[in-house]
Amino acid sequence: MKNKMEINHFSFTYKGAKAPSLNNITLPVQTHKVTSIIGPSGCGKSTLLRSMNRIHDLYPGNTYEGEILLLDKDGNQQNILDIKKENEFIHLRQKVGMVFQKPTPFPMSIFDNIAYGLKLTGLKNKHKLYDYVEKSLRDVALWEEVKNRLYDDARGLSGGQQQRLCIARVIALKPEVILFDEPTSALDPLSTLAIEEMIFELKQNYTITIVTHNMQQASRISDYTAFMYLGDLIEFDHTETIFIRPKEKQTEDYITGKFG
Amino acid sequence: MRLLVNKIAIALSSLTAILGLIFLGWILITLILKGSTALSPYIFTHDLVNNGIRNLLWGQFVLAGLASAIGIPVGLLAGIYLQEYGNHTRYADFIRDLSDVMMSAPSIVIGTFIYAIIVIPVGHTNGWAGIAALFVMMLPIVVRTTDDMLSLVPTELREAGIAIGAPKYHVIFHIILKAAKVGIMTGLILAFARIVGETAPLLYTSGSTIYMETSLSQTFPSMTVSIYNLATMPDEKLVALAWAAALILTIAVLALNLIGRFLIKDRRL
Ligand SMILES: Nc1ncnc2c1ncn2[C@@H]1O[C@H](COP(=O)(O)OP(=O)(O)OP(=O)(O)O)[C@@H](O)[C@H]1O
Ligand SMILES: [Mg+2]
């Protein structure tokens, strides 16, 4: 079976930067698996993740080469770097959802936070909307906590609840891939655990890529791990292999805490 | 030594603060004392020609209201452009600088400018000219507040909107503006309060009249201009009426400012 996403010889340079932030990265992202990206601060993890739904394109002037392939339902691979039209971007982002480090509830009710994206896809039927909202909130184990205050401002939720709401918002659109950029680094241990369990559940239906600074987290939840250093992909393998017998010295030094 | 300097600094700044308060209190007390003598329900139901201020209130709020009705949407859109589309471009920086310069232009200069381009060609003072002058005064304030308030909205919120497949304009109008709503509303109220009490831009543009007027192409009643005119009249009754009008205007502007401040406080909660 083909990989859900394939990053091939991908290099990325920010506007005005002298050196590229990513050098010739090749990384497969397997269907319905969790792939984690680890590495010291500034090594390019976010840059890589943000290329996978082309959110970088909000800011013009960055340059890149190589290809990032996305497998569609019919088994065709599309190079997402070729996308130029606004509606194709919208389509891409509905297929490749993203959850950020800081929770980003929209300034509207809990219900509307989830309904917002659904309405954009053309869903107008009130009952259907409600069903989708309920289902997504159940998927992130938030329903019981908020069912009595669906129409309250989402910014009144706790940080952990807000982050689960943001995940529900993404899931509601039924994406194929979900990108997480350090989704738990702003949360307490209990909320972190809840989100980790959820990611573990989600991989049955979604392909997941997660950037994390937390080594235990990577080893707990991911099937594959990529280690990056200074814009290079040093090593990619099964998570166990990376953590138990890495091939590269740099990987070993990083996971044993010698640097980073 | 440093202690002494510190003490002197504190003493001087407290003194000036107290001086400021004394003058403010003095103004308010004078206004209330002199303004309340002519204050009665009668003046709200009669025009200046019959020793009332009905037409002046109407005129002042129509001029400021219509200037806002044009200035607010134009300024909002310009502010949105600066922060959301043109940010970091030289064009946007130029417009920002221009707005700052316009904001600090003396209001009499704006009045004289409108006088030259509208009143002289038309041949007489008129409502539209007054609206134009207030519009020019208000526009840069609205542009800069919108710009500033939008800049306080975290980038992540914009990215989160884009990341769930919303087009950029949709993110701006349904998410970012909502997030900045309170700040922008506050700015708009303060901008309105600013122009509603202006005299200089209206002096040569709308002029003022003692009669009720509904046509904006005629000389239009203005409370501030009439206060200015009445204050120099020999008739004591008319001077008292000017005081009453000044009191009412001051209360209105103070109320608007208080609402504005209240909203700001609310936002920081
Ligand atoms: N907008 C930008 N413009 C220019 N350079 C940038 C920009 N964003 C990031 N960089 C640079 O690109 C490199 C990679 O940054 P990136 O944010 O991808 O690192 P990261 O691995 O996610 O780090 P962290 O773990 O701290 O989040 C860094 O050297 C950073 O300074
Ligand atoms: Mg990062």
Side-chain angles (χ1 to χ4, degrees):
Chain A
M1 201 165 102
K2 283 184 196 157
N3 295 318
K4 187 71 207 176
M5 288 186 92
E6 268 172 30
I7 301 167
N8 292 323
H9 304 291
F10 181 69
S11 300
F12 184 99
T13 310
Y14 280 105
K15 178 187 180 184
K18 288 197 196 78
S21 290
L22 295 174
N23 306 307
N24 201 12
I25 305 281
T26 295
L27 175 73
V29 176
Q30 302 209 4
T31 314
H32 292 187
K33 300 281 183 219
V34 177
T35 304
S36 65
I37 304 175
I38 59 170
S41 186
C43 70
K45 305 180 295 293
S46 299
T47 308
L48 182 60
L49 199 73
R50 290 160 61 85
S51 302
M52 293 168 70
N53 69 348
R54 296 203 47 195
I55 195 91
H56 281 309
D57 286 68
L58 268 180
Y59 315 99
N62 305 318
T63 51
Y64 40 79
E65 37 190 286
E67 56 179 17
I68 298 181
L69 303 176
L70 175 65
L71 190 69
D72 67 18
K73 293 235 162 82
D74 307 325
N76 300 317
Q77 286 181 313
Q78 182 204 13
N79 182 3
I80 64 166
L81 299 182
D82 291 340
I83 291 175
K84 288 196 185 65
K85 289 198 210 109
E86 170 98 358
N87 62 341
E88 287 180 52
F89 273 120
I90 290 173
H91 219 68
L92 169 68
R93 285 160 190 156
Q94 284 165 348
K95 282 198 284 193
V96 183
M98 184 167 217
V99 176
F100 297 80
Q101 176 173 4
K102 256 183 25 195
T104 50
F106 297 148
M108 43 182 95
S109 72
I110 295 171
F111 182 90
D112 285 337
N113 258 271
I114 297 174
Y116 180 78
L118 290 168
K119 284 184 190 155
L120 284 170
T121 65
L123 187 70
K124 294 227 170 62
N125 184 306
K126 285 242 169 71
H127 295 290
K128 269 201 182 151
L129 266 178
Y130 191 90
D131 288 347
Y132 277 126
V133 170
E134 174 172 349
K135 168 120 191 12
S136 330
L137 285 171
R138 283 191 191 281
D139 283 349
V140 299
L142 195 59
W143 176 252
E144 292 301 326
E145 288 160 65
V146 302
K147 65 180 178 193
N148 295 324
R149 47 170 173 152
L150 282 180
Y151 302 100
D152 289 359
D153 195 320
R155 289 169 293 182
L157 296 171
S158 77
Q161 289 174 325
Q162 288 183 2
Q163 194 63 311
R164 275 182 283 158
L165 179 69
C166 292
I167 298 173
R169 196 164 73 188
V170 170
I171 296 175
L173 297 174
K174 303 235 179 320
E176 293 161 27
V177 182
I178 307 178
L179 310 171
F180 290 89
D181 194 349
E182 302 184 40
T184 61
S185 65
L187 305 181
D188 64 283
L190 264 180
S191 307
T192 300
L193 203 68
I195 291 195
E196 283 182 14
E197 278 172 5
M198 195 171 64
I199 291 176
F200 206 79
E201 287 290 310
L202 288 175
K203 79 171 180 185
Q204 310 196 345
N205 299 312
Y206 305 94
T207 301
I208 290 166
T209 304
I210 175 170
V211 166
T212 176
H213 268 148
N214 181 332
M215 232 81 72
Q216 282 83 32
Q217 184 167 72
S219 67
R220 274 196 299 264
I221 62 173
S222 67
D223 303 292
Y224 294 91
T225 297
F227 170 64
M228 291 180 65
Y229 184 57
L230 295 179
D232 292 314
L233 184 82
I234 306 294
E235 192 170 352
F236 169 77
D237 217 319
H238 288 280
T239 297
E240 286 155 45
T241 313
I242 293 281
F243 280 91
I244 296 168
R245 10 178 190 86
K247 292 187 189 69
E248 302 291 330
K249 176 95 174 43
Q250 278 169 312
T251 316
E252 188 178 340
D253 286 351
Y254 182 69
I255 57 175
T256 54
K258 290 212 182 95
F259 78 95
Chain B
M1 180 62 201
R2 205 186 293 157
L3 255 172
L4 189 69
V5 174
N6 200 12
K7 271 188 184 156
I8 293 175
I10 290 178
L12 277 177
S13 48
S14 325
L15 194 72
T16 43
I18 289 170
L19 261 175
L21 277 177
I22 288 175
F23 277 108
L24 184 66
W26 191 358
I27 293 173
L28 279 178
I29 289 169
T30 316
L31 265 176
I32 292 169
L33 287 180
K34 303 219 178 188
S36 53
T37 56
L39 207 58
S40 72
Y42 175 89
I43 64 171
F44 292 101
T45 50
H46 293 80
D47 297 335
L48 185 54
V49 63
N50 298 319
N51 294 319
I53 59 164
R54 182 178 66 175
N55 68 324
L56 302 181
L57 268 173
W58 148 262
Q60 194 77 11
F61 280 89
V62 165
L63 292 176
L66 286 179
S68 307
I70 311 167
I72 288 175
V74 173
L76 273 177
L77 287 175
I80 290 171
Y81 172 80
L82 290 183
Q83 191 55 228
E84 304 293 333
Y85 289 99
N87 212 359
H88 305 306
T89 62
R90 283 166 79 187
Y91 177 65
D93 287 339
F94 173 72
I95 300 289
R96 277 197 187 105
D97 290 341
L98 194 71
S99 304
D100 288 345
V101 171
M102 270 172 73
M103 244 192 294
S104 47
S107 48
I108 188 74
V109 173
I110 293 170
T112 316
F113 168 69
I114 298 295
Y115 175 79
I117 65 163
I118 299 183
V119 178
I120 292 181
V122 172
H124 55 83
T125 52
N126 60 81
W128 289 115
I131 291 170
L134 294 182
F135 166 77
V136 172
M137 271 211 70
M138 184 181 204
L139 188 62
I141 309 178
V142 177
V143 171
R144 287 314 307 265
T145 3
T146 311
D147 187 20
D148 289 344
M149 290 304 148
L150 289 177
S151 76
L152 296 177
V153 178
T155 330
E156 289 93 345
L157 206 56
R158 295 180 176 84
E159 295 186 348
I162 297 287
I164 62 164
K168 185 166 175 171
Y169 78 89
H170 210 277
V171 174
I172 295 170
F173 284 94
H174 292 86
I175 298 175
I176 307 305
L177 276 182
K178 262 190 201 160
K181 188 175 64 186
V182 179
I184 292 177
M185 284 289 291
T186 308
L188 297 183
I189 291 175
L190 295 181
F192 181 81
R194 175 75 205 283
I195 61 164
V196 83
E198 278 291 338
T199 317
L202 296 178
L203 206 52
Y204 306 124
T205 54
S206 66
S208 188
T209 158
I210 55 175
Y211 302 105
M212 189 55 151
E213 180 59 68
T214 49
S215 164
L216 287 164
S217 42
Q218 299 303 319
T219 296
F220 212 71
S222 154
M223 182 118 112
T224 43
V225 174
S226 283
I227 291 174
Y228 173 80
N229 291 336
L230 292 176
T232 52
M233 296 272 171
D235 185 345
E236 266 180 35
K237 254 195 179 159
L238 289 179
V239 176
L241 195 62
W243 280 108
L247 177 63
I248 290 162
L249 195 61
T250 308
I251 290 172
V253 172
L254 263 181
L256 282 171
N257 273 293
L258 285 178
I259 293 172
R261 309 276 146 182
F262 179 74
L263 283 176
I264 291 181
K265 264 211 192 124
D266 207 38
R267 189 167 60 94
R268 293 203 180 127
L269 272 179

